Amino acid sequence: MLEEAQGEPRHFVFLDTTPLTHFARIGELDRLGEWLPGSYTAAYVMEHEILDWVKDYPHNRLVGEAKWLEAIPADTVVDAKLIADLSIRFPDRATKNIGELHVIALAKRFGGTAIIEDQQARKAARSDDAKVKSTYMVSMIGAAATCGLISENEAWDIQKRLEIGRERSVIRSTDRREFREMVGFMKELLPRWPPWPKCLHNNGLDQIAIAARKQELATLRDRFSLPSRRRT
Amino acid sequence: MAGEDWRVGEDAAKAFHHELDIVTTGVVDLKEVMRLAGITLVAHDFGPDGGDGRYVKKGGRALIVINTHVRSTGRVRFTIAHEIGHHRLHAVGEENATFIDEHVGGGGAKPRQEKEADAFAAYFLAPDRSLKADAERIGDITVESVVDLMIRYGLSFQATVFRLHNNQLINLVNAAKRDALRRDAKGRVEALRQQKGGYTEDDQILFGAELPKSFRENALKLFAHGVINDERLAEMLRMPLDDALHLATERGVTAPEVPDVDEDDLADLFDDGATDA
């Protein structure tokens, strides 16, 4: 059973709908389980954003059957207050962010990392009320390659398949070079990193992805006095 | 009586029907006709004063350019058929040829070649025999029945009335009847067309017909990546801005929100809390 955070953040990972359903869609859900055994999602997410949609997206059933994943409710008074506050302060189209806010509430309660994609939800996670660390799906994949859980080519293959027909990540299906540069930069930082999966508990990972997408990694490298890389 | 220019156009259309083995009842598949004839269709917004279309042949390659500012499927179809008429009648054996058509169809004084192309288009889209059979079945020609025919043949209302009148296929459709029909139809045709289910072809499919699929996909991808803005997307897709955005939304493509690098988040990379492994 999960224990609430006291002092140092625990290394629990809370997955939102997007990584779960899209890894299932491309047949890589087991791999996600290998990377993040004993992970969690919000009961709201599992019930309303995954299993309610099995008829339209049959692969969602696999998420419900995953043994490595547990759905827990964000149902404490503190959770409810946080979800309510964030939903007012960070409104999005219709009910779009409800699942993310449940994930954020759980990550807050247990000091975990939220794997979320939505920009507005990321802002909510970073607000003073929440102060939850979150990571993009692509940053997680890049970090998995950096930590040696998967080769860089395999990681790119997954990212590309996730993005084909979706094209919502900061690094999309045609951004092979940007992905390579993101992983390259992460590898330079690896000596400073905590081990997997605690390395995901860092808002900076997404900034590497964003900088790679915007081709601003050279600037970051200068700022943090990292040796410049020679293109081969 | 139809004049010589009309006969020339009609004969060419008949010959082309025969050549293509087209079943001459109902809507002619113009996209297939152009494919078989080796003609490329492109669309460009020439603006409200840009006319209906152009036929261009250069180095043996034929191109029909339709003005996307014209939003009537019937009129666009007539324009395409008119340009095919130029292709068949006036560009054979020519290495280079250009026809700029400001107003296809209708009456009035026109150069011989334009009348021939009009006749070709009218007959090609709605052959006499087929029209006659339909007219006999319909009986009294009313605005509603003309709309039925225009949908059936993929013609505009004007072209359908003109076609019925000019061929003298139906006694009721004399000049007075023609003018009465046009008066009665004023402001009603579009509503009637929609009420009856519209053309079988989708406007967008027709206007975007010859944009290669990969080109459309790449344009949407560029938009999704923020490489091009919505106006450029519309330009590339050869369609009005609203239509382009609608298409992008339908495809689940929206302009991405790639945030700026966040300084606070970035500092997290080098924060003690993150590096205390």
Side-chain angles (χ1 to χ4, degrees), chain A residues 46-64:
Chain A
M46 181 65 88
E47 187 178 345
H48 297 294
E49 298 188 353
I50 297 176
L51 296 182
D52 278 357
W53 293 86
V54 165
K55 192 176 172 189
D56 297 289
Y57 305 102
H59 54 257
N60 281 12
R61 188 184 306 280
L62 300 172
V63 181

Side-chain angles (χ1 to χ4, degrees), chain A residues 119 126 133 168 172 174-175 192-194 198 202-204 207 210 213-214 216 220 223-224, chain B residues 221 224-225 252 254 256-263 265-266 268-270 274-277:
Chain A
Q119 297 298 339
R126 283 151 175 72
K133 302 210 185 221
R168 302 289 298 183
R172 304 196 176 195
T174 52
D175 295 338
R192 309 179 187 213
W193 274 11
K198 190 180 176 184
N202 191 316
N203 288 339
Q207 303 310 309
I210 293 168
R213 169 72 173 78
K214 295 195 160 188
E216 294 174 1
L220 296 195
R223 283 184 48 192
F224 294 105
Chain B
K221 193 169 282 184
H225 276 69
T254 53
E257 295 174 33
V258 180
D260 292 329
V261 172
D262 184 286
E263 295 294 326
D265 282 357
L266 196 58
D268 210 14
L269 282 175
F270 304 95
T275 57
D276 58 353

Side-chain angles (χ1 to χ4, degrees), chain A residues 22-46:
Chain A
H22 284 275
F23 268 75
R25 173 176 63 82
I26 65 166
E28 297 285 358
L29 191 65
D30 288 344
R31 194 191 298 264
L32 192 59
E34 289 167 15
W35 292 352
L36 301 168
S39 290
Y40 300 87
T41 189
Y44 177 92
V45 165
M46 181 65 88

Side-chain angles (χ1 to χ4, degrees), chain A residues 73-84 101 105-106 108-109:
Chain A
D75 58 356
T76 68
V77 173
V78 176
D79 293 339
K81 183 177 184 310
L82 181 63
I83 292 167
L101 296 183
L106 290 171
K108 166 81 172 170
R109 195 200 316 168

Side-chain angles (χ1 to χ4, degrees), chain B residues 58-75:
Chain B
K58 195 168 184 181
R61 297 184 65 182
L63 191 73
I64 290 173
V65 190
I66 55 171
N67 184 1
T68 55
H69 204 82
V70 179
R71 299 303 296 173
S72 155
T73 299
R75 191 163 162 188

Side-chain angles (χ1 to χ4, degrees), chain B residues 28-277:
Chain B
V28 176
D29 184 346
L30 287 175
K31 284 186 287 182
E32 179 64 5
V33 168
M34 283 183 285
R35 189 185 70 77
L36 293 169
I39 302 171
T40 301
L41 174 69
V42 295
H44 181 75
D45 188 354
F46 292 107
D49 302 320
D52 290 307
R54 285 117 172 88
Y55 171 83
V56 181
K57 189 175 185 185
K58 195 168 184 181
R61 297 184 65 182
L63 191 73
I64 290 173
V65 190
I66 55 171
N67 184 1
T68 55
H69 204 82
V70 179
R71 299 303 296 173
S72 155
T73 299
R75 191 163 162 188
V76 168
R77 282 178 56 82
F78 194 89
T79 301
I80 291 170
H82 175 103
E83 305 304 349
I84 294 172
H86 281 313
H87 180 72
R88 296 286 297 180
L89 285 160
H90 312 126
V92 176
E94 301 288 338
E95 194 68 7
N96 301 306
T98 303
F99 293 91
I100 297 173
D101 294 303
E102 291 183 356
H103 184 69
V104 301
K110 284 182 172 185
R112 177 186 56 80
Q113 289 184 324
E114 294 307 319
K115 286 184 179 176
E116 289 174 353
D118 277 349
F120 177 95
Y123 190 91
F124 191 72
L125 293 173
D128 288 353
R129 193 168 49 183
S130 181
L131 257 187
K132 186 173 183 178
D134 283 338
E136 283 174 356
R137 180 176 51 79
I138 289 168
D140 188 27
I141 298 295
T142 63
V143 173
E144 285 78 5
S145 59
V146 173
V147 171
D148 282 335
L149 289 172
M150 68 180 249
I151 290 172
R152 176 164 167 70
Y153 291 104
L155 289 168
S156 67
F157 185 85
Q158 294 282 9
T160 309
V161 172
F162 180 81
R163 187 81 184 89
L164 289 166
H165 169 259
N166 201 47
N167 281 274
Q168 300 181 337
L169 290 170
I170 310 153
N171 290 334
L172 286 170
V173 183
N174 51 29
K177 177 74 174 175
R178 178 195 67 193
D179 294 341
L181 273 172
R182 286 176 174 163
R183 276 197 308 275
D184 290 349
K186 208 166 186 181
R188 295 174 58 200
V189 172
E190 183 55 26
L192 274 172
R193 185 179 77 84
Q194 288 181 8
Q195 186 187 321
K196 290 170 181 287
Y199 292 106
T200 52
E201 281 179 302
D202 175 72
D203 286 12
Q204 211 55 69
I205 291 171
L206 187 61
F207 292 143
E210 293 305 312
L211 286 177
K213 189 180 173 190
S214 59
F215 178 87
R216 285 202 303 272
E217 295 305 311
N218 285 335
L220 287 166
K221 193 169 282 184
L222 289 170
F223 176 62
H225 276 69
V227 176
I228 58 172
N229 63 16
D230 49 4
E231 288 178 357
R232 179 63 181 140
L233 176 72
E235 195 179 13
M236 290 180 75
L237 295 177
R238 318 279 199 269
M239 59 178 66
L241 180 61
D242 287 347
D243 290 358
L245 289 173
H246 181 68
L247 180 65
T249 305
E250 273 188 343
R251 296 290 306 280
V253 174
T254 53
E257 295 174 33
V258 180
D260 292 329
V261 172
D262 184 286
E263 295 294 326
D264 291 338
D265 282 357
L266 196 58
D268 210 14
L269 282 175
F270 304 95
D271 188 4
D272 287 345
T275 57
D276 58 353

